[in-house]
Amino acid sequence: MKPSLASLASCALAGLATFASAEQMLYSDSLNPCQTNNNFSATQFDVILTPKNNSLSFSVVGVSTIQGNITIDLVVSAYGLQIYQTTLDPCALDFTGLCPMNEGQLNLPTSNVPIPANALSNVPGIAYTIPDLDAKVKVYFNSSVTGQPAACVEAELSNGKTVDQKAVAWALAVISVLALLASAVTSGLGHSNTAAHVAANALALFGYFQAQAFMGMTAVNLPPVVASWTQNFQWSLGIIRLGFLQSIATWYQRATGGKPSTVLSSLGTTSVEVQKRSLDVVYSLMKRAAYQVHDSILRARTNADGATGTDTANTVIVRGIQRVGFRAGIEVTNIFLTGYIFFLIFVVAVVIGVLLFKLACEALIKMGRMKGEKFQDFRNGWTTVLKGILFRVVLIGFPQMVVLCFWEFTRNDSTAEMVLAVFTIFTMLAILAWASSKVVRLARRSVTMHKNPAYILYSDPAALNKWGFLYVQFKATAYYFIVPFLIYILAKGLFIALAQGNGVVQAIGLVVIEAVYLIIICVLRPYMDKKTNAFNISITVINFISAIFLLVFTGIFGQPGIVTGVMGVIFFIYNAVFSTVLLILVLIASIIAVVAKNPDTRYQPMRDDRGSFIKSQTGFNTELDALGATARGESKHGWNNNKGARIEDDDDSWSGGSSERQQSSQLQNQQTAYGGAGPKNPPMHNVQPAASPYDDNRQQGSIRGNGASPSPWQRGAGYD
C-alpha cells in the first residue's frame, strides 16, 4: 500500500513530537488558508492523534487546482516558537495523489492508520494537558518549477483542554449575586455599616469581571488561553446562550426588517477563522459570515471556493465582540439583542424578587413566625427602597449597555434594534446624570449649611435609600467621585464598541484610560475607608497591567511569538489568582454579614460621621430619639408624614418653583398656629426645638439648634 495524503497528515502531527483528555489526544478540525490565491482548499478536515493506541484518524475532503510536481514544507510551531520543520518530496516518498498533483476533487474518507511508537516517544506529557494549547502546523505546497508556494494551509492543534468552563462562569455569577443579596439582607437588618462594605466590595468585584469581559471583546489577536479565560466573564455583559432566546432574537430581527444570519448549518461551505492579524478584510468578510459551534468545540471546516483557486470569499474572520459571540454560540446578528434581553430579565427578576420578599415578610409576621421589627425599615418604605434598587441595577448594567448599544450603532441589525439601542443608552445616561447631579446638589447644600456633606446625604432615609447607591461606597467628601467613575466606564465602553476595526487603537485607549484612572484613584483615595480603598485600587492596578498586556498582544512592539505566548500564560495565571483572592474575600465578608449577630463590630466607624446622621426607621431606643423625631415632625416609625419636610422631595420636580411655594405655605401654617407673627407670637421658624442626636455634627464639635445654623428639620422644605 502506497503512502497517501493520510501519510502527510500523519507527518504533520508527528512533527509535534519535539513539542506535541480523560484520554490523551491531539486533534485539529480546521484547515485555514495562510496566503492569498490559494490553489488548495478543504471542505472537511478532521485529524485526531491518539498516542495511547498509536493511531491516527483522519478525514479530508478538498479541491486542488495545482498541477505538476510539488515539494511540501511542513512547519510546526508552539507559542510562537518554531519547533519542527521538514521538507517532503511526494515523488520520493511515493505519496499517492500528490505526485504529480492534478486539478480536481480529493476525497479521503474516515480512516485509521497506525503510527510508530518511536515517532511519539519524545512528545512531552504537558502537550496533552496544558489548557488552550497554542500550537499549529503549516503546510506549504511549493511548485517544483518555480520554487514558489502554490498553496498554504494552516491547522491549529488542540488537546481538548481549555480554561473556558461553564462551571467557572456559573460559580462566578452565583458568588456575585450572593454577595449582592447579602448586602441587601444586612441592610434590611439594620447593619448599615456592614451592608455598605459588602455592597461596595461586591460591586467592585462585579466591575472587575466586566473589565475582564471587556478585554475579551477587543479586536486584538489574543493568545488562546487569554481568549478562553476572558470568555468566562462574558455573562457579566449578558452574552449567554439560550436556544429559545436565539430563536426569539432571530424572529424579532426578521420581523423588524433585519436580515439575520441563517447559515449555521453550512458547515461545509464556510471557514471561520478565530482571530487573524489582518484587519483589511474583516468587515467585507463578516457580511458573508456563517458561524457554527459544534459539540462545544470551534469547528471551522471550510476554506473551499469551488474551482476558482481562491478562498477569501468563503473565509470568515471573527474578532472582538463577534469572536465572543461565536465562541458562545450566538449569531453575530443576535449578540446585541441577547445582551439586551438578559438585561431586561435581570430588571424584571429584581422587581419580582423585591415584591415577593415584601409579601413574604408581611405573611410571616401575620403568622407570628417573624418579629414585627424585622426588616421594618424595608417594609415601611419598600417603594423607595425599590426605586433605589432599580437605580443600582441601571448602574450595574451601564457598562454592558454602553458597549452593546454603541456597537449596534455601527451594525444596524434592524430598525427596531437601532431604536432600542438609542432609547436605552440615552435613557440610562440621562438617569445616571440626573441622579449624579442630585447627589452633588444635596452634598453642596449640606456643606453650605453644615460644613459637612454627610449631614444631608445620610440624615434623610428617603434620599439615602434612593440615591445612596451613588455615594455610600465613597467617603462623604468624595461624594462627587461617581461622576469620574461614570466617565471612566463610558470611555472604556466607547473604545470597545466603536473601535472594533482596530485592536491597536483599542489597546492604546485602554492603557491611557486605565493609567489616568489609576492615578486619580491613588491620589484621591475616594472610598469609604482604607480597606475599601485598597480593594478597589488593587483592582485598578490589575486592570492597568492587563491593558499593558493587551497592548503587547497587538504586536505593536514586534516581539517574537514566544514572548506573546508566554505573556498570555502569565496573563491567565495572575488574573486567575487575583480573581480567586477577591472571591474568597467577598464570600467570607458576605457569610459573616449574614450569620454574625452584630457584624458592624468588624468595621470601624466611618470618619465622615455618617453613622451619627443615619436614622433608623425601626423605632426609637431612647426618649431622646423620640424627642428628636417629634421635633422633626416625623411619625413614630420615622417616615415623615409631612412630605414637605423631606430633604430631597422638592428636587424631584423639574421646576424650582415648588420649593418656594412649599416654604411659603409651611411658614403661613406655622404663623397661623401661633396666632400670627408678632412680639408675643414669634414665627415658628425662629423657635429652636429641643436638640436631637441627629443634629450632632462631630466634625464641628457642637450641637446644632443654637441659632448658628438651622438644621434641615428646622428649615423644612426647600433643600436642593
Side-chain angles (χ1 to χ4, degrees):
M1 180 179 177
K2 294 182 179 181
S4 63
L5 191 58
S7 302
L8 177 62
S10 173
C11 291
L13 288 173
L16 198 62
T18 56
F19 181 84
S21 318
E23 184 177 13
Q24 292 182 341
M25 68 175 63
L26 293 174
Y27 68 87
S28 178
D29 51 21
S30 64
L31 192 65
N32 298 313
C34 45
Q35 74 174 33
T36 58
N37 298 319
N38 247 3
N39 293 301
F40 176 81
S41 55
T43 56
Q44 179 179 324
F45 180 79
D46 286 296
V47 179
I48 301 177
L49 176 67
T50 309
K52 182 178 180 180
N53 55 14
N54 297 332
S55 69
L56 175 72
S57 174
F58 64 91
S59 175
V60 181
V61 176
V63 176
S64 169
T65 59
I66 303 175
Q67 289 184 321
N69 293 330
I70 61 169
T71 59
I72 297 174
D73 287 338
L74 186 68
V75 179
V76 179
S77 60
Y79 295 96
L81 184 65
Q82 180 176 309
I83 59 174
Y84 181 81
Q85 181 178 10
T86 187
T87 299
L88 306 174
D89 185 349
C91 294
L93 297 174
D94 203 13
F95 281 176
T96 301
L98 299 180
C99 181
M101 288 193 71
N102 299 308
E103 290 188 14
Q105 185 85 6
L106 289 175
N107 192 342
L108 298 174
T110 302
S111 305
N112 290 282
V113 295
I115 301 296
N118 58 2
L120 300 174
S121 60
N122 294 326
V123 177
I126 192 174
Y128 302 106
T129 57
I130 187 171
D132 297 290
L133 181 67
D134 187 4
K136 61 184 65 176
V137 56
K138 286 185 178 182
V139 180
Y140 295 91
F141 297 85
N142 303 315
S143 171
S144 298
V145 177
T146 64
Q148 298 299 316
C152 174
V153 291
E154 179 181 78
E156 294 186 358
L157 302 176
S158 174
N159 55 20
K161 308 294 184 181
T162 178
V163 298
D164 179 9
Q165 300 290 334
K166 289 186 177 180
V168 174
W170 275 105
L172 298 175
V174 168
I175 293 176
S176 300
V177 172
L178 289 179
L180 293 173
L181 290 176
S183 67
V185 171
T186 307
S187 177
L189 293 174
H191 306 298
S192 58
N193 196 7
T194 300
H197 282 84
V198 174
N201 291 341
L203 290 175
L205 177 67
F206 196 82
Y208 168 72
F209 291 165
Q210 291 177 322
Q212 291 288 289
F214 277 4
M215 293 289 175
M217 284 186 164
T218 57
V220 175
N221 185 23
L222 299 177
V225 68
V226 176
S228 295
W229 167 252
T230 55
Q231 194 72 22
N232 288 318
F233 301 92
Q234 298 303 328
W235 61 267
S236 64
L237 299 179
I239 309 301
I240 306 170
R241 187 185 188 279
L242 291 179
F244 74 94
L245 282 184
Q246 295 308 300
S247 299
I248 293 174
T250 300
W251 165 83
Y252 182 84
Q253 187 181 36
R254 184 180 292 112
T256 54
K259 189 176 181 180
S261 299
T262 56
V263 205
L264 285 174
S265 60
S266 60
L267 194 59
T269 59
T270 303
S271 176
V272 181
E273 185 174 344
V274 180
Q275 197 63 52
K276 190 175 182 179
R277 278 185 167 81
S278 175
L279 296 170
D280 300 332
V281 295
V282 173
Y283 290 112
S284 61
L285 293 177
M286 286 304 172
K287 294 181 180 179
R288 308 171 188 176
Y291 305 99
Q292 178 66 28
V293 173
H294 182 65
D295 294 334
S296 301
I297 300 174
L298 299 182
R299 294 187 176 269
R301 295 175 176 264
T302 305
N303 60 8
D305 186 35
T308 63
T310 62
D311 46 26
T312 56
N314 287 333
T315 299
V316 176
I317 303 172
V318 289
R319 66 191 323 108
I321 296 176
Q322 294 168 331
R323 176 185 60 217
V324 166
F326 174 69
R327 291 180 64 104
I330 301 173
E331 291 278 5
V332 66
T333 53
N334 288 346
I335 293 175
F336 164 73
L337 207 54
T338 298
Y340 190 87
I341 290 174
F342 271 102
F343 178 70
L344 293 182
I345 291 174
F346 183 44
V347 173
V348 173
V350 167
V351 173
I352 293 176
V354 172
L355 293 176
L356 291 177
F357 186 70
K358 162 68 174 175
L359 294 175
C361 288
E362 298 299 339
L364 290 174
I365 290 175
K366 287 183 179 180
M367 291 187 296
R369 296 186 178 181
M370 190 171 74
K371 296 181 179 180
E373 63 271 14
K374 283 284 186 180
F375 300 106
Q376 190 167 350
D377 291 1
F378 166 76
R379 292 187 293 108
N380 289 338
W382 70 274
T383 55
T384 301
V385 173
L386 178 58
K387 292 178 184 177
I389 291 175
L390 290 178
F391 280 125
R392 286 171 173 85
V393 170
V394 171
L395 183 63
I396 291 174
F398 183 62
Q400 167 187 342
M401 299 314 295
V402 166
V403 171
L404 294 180
C405 289
F406 281 106
W407 181 66
E408 177 61 21
F409 294 167
T410 68
R411 292 199 51 82
N412 191 14
D413 291 320
S414 78
T415 303
E417 290 187 39
M418 283 290 288
V419 171
L420 286 177
V422 171
F423 173 78
T424 302
I425 190 58
F426 288 109
T427 298
M428 293 180 74
L429 286 171
I431 289 173
L432 293 174
W434 165 249
S436 300
S437 67
K438 180 79 172 184
V439 171
V440 172
R441 294 199 309 270
L442 288 174
R444 288 180 176 177
R445 178 58 62 90
S446 183
V447 171
T448 300
M449 298 185 62
H450 307 289
K451 310 301 181 184
N452 187 352
Y455 193 99
I456 293 180
L457 291 178
Y458 292 94
S459 61
D460 183 16
L464 181 59
N465 284 322
K466 188 183 295 184
W467 313 112
F469 75 101
L470 291 174
Y471 59 82
V472 291
Q473 65 269 38
F474 306 121
K475 56 188 178 184
T477 54
Y479 60 86
Y480 57 85
F481 198 76
I482 188 61
V483 176
F485 174 77
L486 291 176
I487 294 174
Y488 162 72
I489 296 297
L490 179 62
K492 287 179 63 176
L494 289 175
F495 269 98
I496 299 298
L498 301 180
Q500 282 291 303
N502 196 324
V504 175
V505 171
Q506 288 179 318
I508 294 175
L510 289 179
V511 169
V512 173
I513 293 171
E514 296 292 356
V516 172
Y517 188 71
L518 177 60
I519 293 172
I520 292 175
I521 201 174
C522 288
V523 172
L524 297 180
R525 287 175 291 178
Y527 290 90
M528 63 178 77
D529 57 15
K530 290 182 178 179
K531 290 183 179 180
T532 310
N533 272 308
F535 193 90
N536 284 272
I537 290 175
S538 63
I539 290 176
T540 308
V541 169
I542 293 297
N543 288 340
F544 175 64
I545 295 174
S546 297
I548 294 177
F549 272 64
L550 190 69
L551 185 62
V552 174
F553 295 153
T554 64
I556 193 174
F557 301 110
Q559 73 277 5
I562 185 63
V563 175
T564 302
V566 171
M567 290 188 69
V569 175
I570 295 174
F571 180 97
F572 160 67
I573 292 174
Y574 79 75
N575 274 288
V577 172
F578 185 70
S579 300
T580 303
V581 172
L582 291 186
L583 285 170
I584 293 174
L585 292 176
V586 171
L587 190 60
I588 292 176
S590 301
I591 294 174
I592 295 177
V594 174
V595 302
K597 291 184 177 179
N598 187 11
D600 282 343
T601 57
R602 295 185 66 246
Y603 304 99
Q604 295 181 352
M606 299 296 100
R607 293 185 178 182
D608 54 22
D609 281 341
R610 66 180 65 182
S612 57
F613 304 133
I614 296 177
K615 307 191 310 303
S616 172
Q617 302 97 43
T618 307
F620 306 105
N621 299 323
T622 66
E623 294 181 1
L624 187 58
D625 291 337
L627 182 60
T630 302
R632 294 188 296 268
E634 296 177 353
S635 67
K636 64 180 180 179
H637 294 303
W639 288 103
N640 202 328
N641 293 326
N642 180 7
K643 189 174 181 179
R646 195 176 295 166
I647 294 176
E648 56 90 25
D649 274 348
D650 55 308
D651 277 333
D652 288 341
S653 171
W654 292 94
S655 172
S658 61
S659 174
E660 297 179 359
R661 287 194 299 271
Q662 286 183 344
Q663 274 192 311
S664 176
S665 175
Q666 186 182 18
L667 179 59
Q668 291 176 4
N669 293 337
Q670 292 170 343
Q671 291 175 341
T672 301
Y674 276 81
K680 296 182 180 180
N681 299 290
M684 185 64 176
H685 64 278
N686 287 331
V687 177
Q688 305 300 327
S692 164
Y694 305 110
D695 294 331
D696 176 33
N697 187 335
R698 298 182 182 179
Q699 289 187 353
Q700 300 301 313
S702 62
I703 302 287
R704 299 296 184 190
N706 57 7
S709 179
S711 73
W713 320 112
Q714 295 166 312
R715 287 284 300 270
Y719 281 55
D720 194 16

